[in-house]
Amino acid sequence: MKPKRMFLSVYLALTIISACKTGGGQNDTSGLQHAADCTVPKTMESLARSCGNGRCEVDKSESAANCPRDCIDKNKRIASVYAEAHICPSETTVHTPATPDEIASIVKKSGQNGRKIKVIGTRHASSDIQCTSANGETIVMEKFGKSMRIEKFQDADSVLVETGATMSEIAHFLEQKGYALPPRVPGVGSINIGGFVAVGAHGSNLKDSASISSSVLELELVVADGTIKRFDKTNTSVDQWKALRSSLGLLGIMTKIRLEIRKSYHMQMEIREFPESILSQGPDKFYKALNGCEFAFSHYVRLQKKFYVTCGWESKKPLTHPDLENTLFKPHLANVNIDLTATTNYLLQKAACNESSAEFLEKTISSTRARNPWIQYKGTDGKVQSLTEGVGLWHRMMTTLLEGNYRLTFSTMDWEVAVPKSQWLNASQDMLNFITKHNIILPTIGVVSRFDRVNGDSLFAPSAADEHFALNEPLVLLEMPVFVPFGLSAEQLEKYILPYRTFFLSLIEKYQARPHIGKNDNSLLLSDVVKKRLSSSIKRFSKVRATMDPKGIFNNQFAENMGL
């Protein structure tokens, strides 16, 4: 790492801002990437600089409508962490219990009063799945316990976790005790374990299931009558156990989760890159390029026409450095004293509304990453060292905790479906055609692919087995994290996201892809296309729900609209 990195980083930030202020000129009106009438009014620019700082600044034109992150009443309204992408439609009574008994008391009273109740964790979903029905109540797990303990369970090593814990907190605890999770962890570790399990979320794993559902050994829930019960494969039916391991928050409120664990391990990781033309050589060629990878995270950069793959595998080699980590989502800036929040929001806002700015930003980000690979550590002199290959602790190489200046404060709509390997080449070509046709540029990370295998451990994970997905069939999880500009009207927002929704619905129809229930928007998840694709899962889940919650106390409008 060069000694002048700090100066160059500041210079780079100022260069980007300057270029984006002037890039494109008045004749560049590609507008919201899809709308030809975007003019980036001053209000939108102001919001991009101020929204997300935790203060509702009326003098900067902020309001609950255009900056809900700062301005909504959080005691009455629920907004996702991607706040501008989704806000629950109805006001609610918010509870923040700290113990299972407190939750049980709330559930009993809600049932007696005939009110619906919904539980949410760290609010990563971008649909009404996290919303209670009108006049309902909401339990937010932000004050709930995070205690953990390691113990044997049914002859397996396990960790029993209170559901207030995040995935990063669990990973750090396990590593301190000499244990680990398999590659079933998220890239961003600030996700609550309860929500992660509820939607059958995943990591990336080329050799085994990447779904967290596959690691769940036991669940403790507050059920519909307000009692606390434990469930595992020995005291449930096959479908009930599968439903519980991806419950969507509709079967009860999880208070403890037991996960299978293993001994800690080192992960050797390297960065590989391939030209876009690798797709023309067939899916087997790309998979062969992943030879040796157990964990793999691929991101495609359109203007460079390249795939970058972060590839990892278990290794007995000594650590390159105790603090070596994968910083793809959290690049070290060598303690540069700049406001990353305001800078990032402003640049992304300009890029969403201006083709020249988007091209410049993507080229700048990707070239900076190329010069400063994201396998990094800080030396004793405080200088950041960047490598293309190294050996680190498992949790540092697969997942990242965003905090401080790296917290996510801009708005994103995350689209994702699971596509069978046999259809991945066709789906990837469709992706290239789509982003070319609409001139899609995704500056932050590009188009993401992660890897999984079909498993029979849940009903709603993207990798769940059904009549279209055969057990152990390789899958590719195709994902587009899309920045959502600040200050859009409802009509502008719909116009902006419609092409993405249409594209991902086409993948579901053409290739029998399964959507990630914790991502995507309401209109996709509640479409006839998705309800038809998931009809067998919906039918089986509904039978379990009718038994466990006959009065529908945990039901919500989203579930009813989906047919649950």
Side-chain angles (χ1 to χ4, degrees):
M1 184 58 56
K2 296 181 179 180
K4 295 183 179 180
R5 181 185 174 98
M6 182 169 73
F7 169 77
L8 292 176
S9 297
V10 175
Y11 177 77
L12 174 64
L14 295 174
T15 300
I16 295 174
I17 293 173
S18 175
C20 289
K21 281 182 178 178
T22 59
Q26 293 183 349
N27 293 326
D28 187 352
T29 56
S30 58
L32 301 183
Q33 295 202 6
H34 310 299
D37 59 351
C38 176
T39 56
V40 198
K42 291 295 183 182
T43 298
M44 294 173 72
E45 292 189 20
S46 174
L47 287 171
R49 292 183 182 277
S50 64
C51 191
N53 63 11
R55 303 187 302 274
C56 187
E57 299 170 292
V58 179
D59 61 322
K60 295 181 179 179
S61 302
E62 290 186 2
S63 68
N66 63 26
C67 184
R69 186 183 308 279
D70 293 343
C71 298
I72 64 168
D73 184 346
K74 294 180 175 60
N75 293 316
K76 296 181 179 179
R77 297 291 295 278
I78 299 298
S80 73
V81 69
Y82 311 122
E84 281 64 49
H86 180 264
I87 310 165
C88 290
S90 302
E91 288 192 350
T92 184
T93 301
V94 175
H95 304 274
T96 55
T99 67
D101 287 340
E102 287 180 43
I103 293 177
S105 177
I106 295 167
V107 170
K108 286 179 181 178
K109 289 179 181 178
S110 296
Q112 292 167 357
N113 295 331
R115 292 166 66 88
K116 308 289 186 184
I117 194 160
K118 194 74 181 75
V119 61
I120 56 175
T122 40
R123 314 182 192 196
H124 278 73
S126 49
S127 71
D128 285 351
I129 191 173
Q130 63 186 348
C131 303
T132 188
S133 298
N135 300 315
E137 301 182 45
T138 302
I139 288 178
V140 179
M141 301 294 278
E142 61 187 29
K143 294 182 181 179
F144 197 73
K146 299 183 178 185
S147 69
M148 309 172 209
R149 67 173 183 266
I150 293 170
E151 58 191 18
K152 286 286 186 181
F153 180 78
Q154 297 176 355
D155 297 324
D157 289 329
S158 75
V159 59
L160 185 64
V161 183
E162 287 188 311
T163 51
T166 66
M167 292 303 296
S168 279
E169 289 167 339
I170 296 169
H172 292 157
F173 170 81
L174 290 175
E175 177 55 36
Q176 291 172 358
K177 301 295 184 181
Y179 287 91
L181 294 169
R184 295 171 184 155
V185 293
V188 176
S190 51
I191 300 173
N192 174 278
I193 179 60
F196 199 62
V197 168
V199 297
H202 59 85
S204 185
N205 194 335
L206 280 155
K207 294 190 174 182
D208 196 3
S209 167
S211 170
I212 190 64
S213 301
S214 299
S215 290
V216 176
L217 298 176
E218 184 186 36
L219 293 166
E220 180 183 276
L221 278 77
V222 176
V223 294
D225 63 2
T227 60
I228 301 172
K229 293 184 178 180
R230 287 198 176 187
F231 301 89
D232 62 50
K233 65 181 180 181
T234 68
N235 62 8
T236 55
S237 67
V238 172
D239 271 5
Q240 185 183 20
W241 186 227
K242 290 182 179 182
L244 283 164
R245 287 195 282 182
S246 56
S247 67
L248 311 183
L250 300 175
L251 302 179
I253 299 176
M254 289 183 283
T255 53
K256 292 180 182 177
I257 297 175
R258 187 184 300 278
L259 301 172
E260 186 173 11
I261 57 176
R262 50 161 298 181
K263 294 295 183 180
S264 179
Y265 56 95
H266 294 175
M267 176 169 279
Q268 186 165 347
M269 186 166 279
E270 68 179 19
I271 299 169
R272 303 177 181 179
E273 61 179 79
F274 310 104
E276 176 188 292
S277 59
I278 194 171
L279 291 180
S280 64
Q281 302 171 46
D284 288 339
K285 181 68 174 179
F286 197 101
Y287 265 77
K288 287 179 181 178
L290 302 177
N291 183 48
C293 304
E294 296 175 26
F295 166 89
F297 182 98
S298 167
H299 67 280
Y300 169 75
V301 181
R302 178 191 164 194
L303 298 180
Q304 290 197 348
K305 297 186 181 299
K306 285 185 178 181
F307 290 90
Y308 293 89
V309 177
T310 308
C311 167
W313 61 94
E314 185 175 347
S315 174
K316 296 187 181 300
K317 292 182 179 180
L319 297 176
T320 302
H321 189 275
D323 295 330
L324 190 72
E325 61 180 331
N326 174 2
T327 64
L328 182 61
F329 296 132
K330 189 182 71 174
H332 287 304
L333 294 180
N335 301 316
V336 175
N337 186 25
I338 59 175
D339 186 343
L340 296 178
T341 298
T343 303
T344 302
N345 287 345
Y346 176 76
L347 297 179
L348 289 171
Q349 182 85 2
K350 295 291 288 187
C353 295
N354 182 292
E355 289 181 13
S356 297
S357 295
E359 292 174 1
F360 184 88
L361 187 55
E362 184 186 87
K363 288 177 181 177
T364 302
I365 291 174
S366 58
S367 62
T368 301
R369 280 184 176 137
R371 291 193 303 271
N372 302 280
W374 48 93
I375 300 174
Q376 299 181 334
Y377 68 92
K378 283 188 178 181
T380 54
D381 57 1
K383 295 177 181 177
V384 176
Q385 304 295 319
S386 290
L387 309 172
T388 57
E389 182 176 357
V391 180
L393 296 171
W394 64 279
H395 64 305
R396 287 181 171 271
M397 306 310 286
M398 290 190 292
T399 192
T400 298
L401 175 62
L402 296 182
E403 56 188 353
N405 273 346
Y406 296 104
R407 67 193 186 281
L408 186 59
T409 56
F410 55 86
S411 189
T412 300
M413 181 63 74
D414 211 346
W415 307 90
E416 183 185 311
V417 296
V419 180
K421 175 189 172 185
S422 60
Q423 298 292 346
W424 183 54
L425 182 62
N426 294 330
S428 296
Q429 189 58 56
D430 287 353
M431 177 269 292
L432 294 178
N433 293 340
F434 167 69
I435 63 177
T436 300
K437 175 182 177 181
H438 292 281
N439 197 24
I440 301 293
I441 299 172
L442 305 172
T444 55
I445 196 67
V447 180
V448 171
S449 294
R450 283 176 283 182
F451 303 87
D452 201 350
R453 287 182 176 273
V454 177
N455 65 80
D457 298 326
S458 72
L459 291 180
F460 277 117
S463 56
D466 59 20
E467 67 272 27
H468 301 292
F469 277 13
L471 279 173
N472 210 38
E473 181 178 9
L475 295 173
V476 180
L477 297 141
L478 190 64
E479 178 181 8
M480 287 189 191
V482 179
F483 172 73
V484 178
F486 294 82
L488 299 186
S489 66
E491 293 76 15
Q492 284 178 310
L493 177 60
E494 174 61 17
K495 190 172 185 179
Y496 181 75
I497 66 177
L498 178 60
Y500 297 100
R501 184 193 306 133
T502 302
F503 170 66
F504 278 88
L505 282 171
S506 74
L507 296 181
I508 296 168
E509 280 195 291
K510 290 173 66 176
Y511 307 122
Q512 295 302 317
R514 282 184 67 106
H516 191 317
I517 302 296
K519 299 182 180 180
N520 305 296
D521 75 343
N522 276 338
S523 295
L524 183 143
L525 293 174
L526 299 178
S527 67
D528 289 340
V529 170
V530 168
K531 285 189 279 189
K532 179 180 178 181
R533 172 62 186 86
L534 300 182
S535 58
S536 62
S537 296
I538 291 171
K539 183 177 180 180
R540 294 165 68 184
F541 187 93
S542 296
K543 290 181 179 179
V544 175
R545 192 210 61 77
T547 300
M548 293 191 66
D549 184 17
K551 295 182 179 179
I553 188 174
F554 300 118
N555 209 11
N556 64 358
Q557 194 61 53
F558 178 91
E560 292 182 16
N561 291 344
M562 181 171 263
L564 294 169

